Amino acid sequence: MPTSREVRRTSYFSRRRWPRALGFLVLLAAASLLSFYALSNSDQAIGDPRTGTAAEGPAVPKVPQLDILGDSYVAGSSEGGIGPANWTRLVGSRFYEQGTQVEMSVMAQPGSGYLTRGATDLVFREAATLRLRSTADVVVVFGSRNDGRQTDMAMYQAAKMLYSDIHDIAPQAKVVVFGPVWVDADVPDFISANNAAMARAAAEEDVQYIDALAEGWFAGSEEGLIGEDGIHPTDVGHAYLAEKIFPVLNELIRNLPPAA
């Protein structure tokens, strides 16, 4: 058991050493702060010592953003167009193969249209409001044959509001609409009527309109483009769509104004 003299000696040395220890901790903290400051500024560009301004690095070109909105012809189905076989993926591969960078966002709404709610319970306009990027450079709307029989005014107004909203959400974007397609040359009257209403709205909203019915998509002699359900494209059909769509998108991407 320590004596009273040993206890007093221990207390004495503790009081003598405490200020030194405190000083050491203060110095250590200061050194740590300086190290942190140096590390936090190590990634900044080295400036001009004569002006104190930071040196600017080389400008990084903006990668064009391409947003695609459509129905099951965009999503793919059990008949074809799943994964790499989808026409949107094939188009992306074509851009990559020619050395063009494109950042693509696909908004697929199976069973949906301008007025019809499908698997996602969203019409095209609602999907665009939720997911369309304000920074998009090109916006594609594909379809839709899902709208069925509509009055001319209902179809026209739905299309006009969609195109107007796209302009509001992504004001710098070039907008291209691919109208509804049919599986053969025997196009129902209501599909033709919807197509005409969409084309009229597109003309009024400064939107490029591709009339797939007038161009005879899927109406030729090619076989194996549509699956056994008589509605959806096969993998071959998606390759066919890519061949039709890529030249249009490539032209739009090539003619985008340079980034500011």
Side-chain angles (χ1 to χ4, degrees):
M1 185 172 182
T3 64
S4 59
R5 179 177 298 178
E6 290 173 336
V7 170
R8 287 195 300 272
R9 182 178 299 174
T10 301
S11 300
Y12 171 77
F13 281 110
S14 297
R15 289 194 299 272
R16 289 286 301 274
R17 291 175 179 172
W18 171 246
R20 295 180 181 178
L22 181 60
F24 174 77
L25 290 174
V26 171
L27 289 174
L28 181 61
S32 298
L33 286 172
L34 287 173
S35 298
F36 173 78
Y37 178 82
L39 287 172
S40 65
N41 286 275
S42 62
D43 292 333
Q44 293 183 3
I46 299 175
D48 187 337
R50 295 167 298 178
T51 63
T53 58
E56 295 184 359
V60 178
K62 179 182 181 292
V63 176
Q65 294 182 335
L66 172 59
D67 283 13
I68 301 175
L69 171 64
D71 53 19
S72 56
Y73 272 59
V74 171
S77 72
S78 58
E79 300 295 332
I82 300 300
N86 188 277
W87 72 258
T88 64
R89 296 278 293 273
L90 296 174
V91 165
S93 296
R94 290 280 295 274
F95 277 118
Y96 177 79
E97 289 166 2
Q98 72 175 21
T100 303
Q101 285 187 299
V102 174
E103 185 182 306
M104 189 179 294
S105 175
V106 178
M107 299 169 282
Q109 314 296 313
S112 297
Y114 288 74
L115 292 162
T116 298
R117 299 180 184 278
T120 63
D121 199 34
L122 298 172
V123 296
F124 283 0
R125 187 183 180 201
E126 293 166 342
T129 300
L130 289 172
R131 295 188 55 194
L132 180 63
R133 293 178 290 186
S134 62
T135 53
D137 297 291
V138 175
V139 177
V140 174
V141 180
F142 186 96
S144 168
R145 55 173 285 163
N146 296 319
D147 286 305
R149 295 186 180 277
Q150 303 289 342
T151 66
D152 177 76
M153 184 55 64
M155 195 71 233
Y156 162 77
Q157 288 181 338
K160 190 173 177 66
M161 287 189 293
L162 172 63
Y163 308 152
S164 177
D165 282 357
I166 292 173
H167 284 312
D168 289 341
I169 296 169
Q172 72 177 0
K174 301 290 185 181
V175 184
V176 56
V177 174
F178 293 89
V181 299
W182 200 248
V183 297
D184 54 34
D186 189 17
V187 182
D189 290 343
F190 66 88
I191 294 293
S192 296
N194 290 349
N195 178 62
M198 293 160 58
R200 192 166 78 253
E204 294 179 4
E205 290 295 327
D206 192 27
V207 166
Q208 181 180 356
Y209 193 82
I210 307 299
D211 191 336
L213 296 179
E215 293 186 5
W217 291 19
F218 293 100
S221 59
E222 300 95 334
E223 295 183 358
L225 302 181
I226 299 298
E228 293 182 0
D229 65 356
I231 298 173
H232 296 98
T234 61
D235 286 351
V236 178
H238 274 264
Y240 172 88
L241 285 170
E243 288 296 320
K244 296 287 188 182
I245 294 171
F246 175 76
V248 178
L249 301 186
N250 188 44
E251 185 71 13
L252 287 171
I253 294 294
R254 287 175 55 240
N255 289 315
L256 286 174

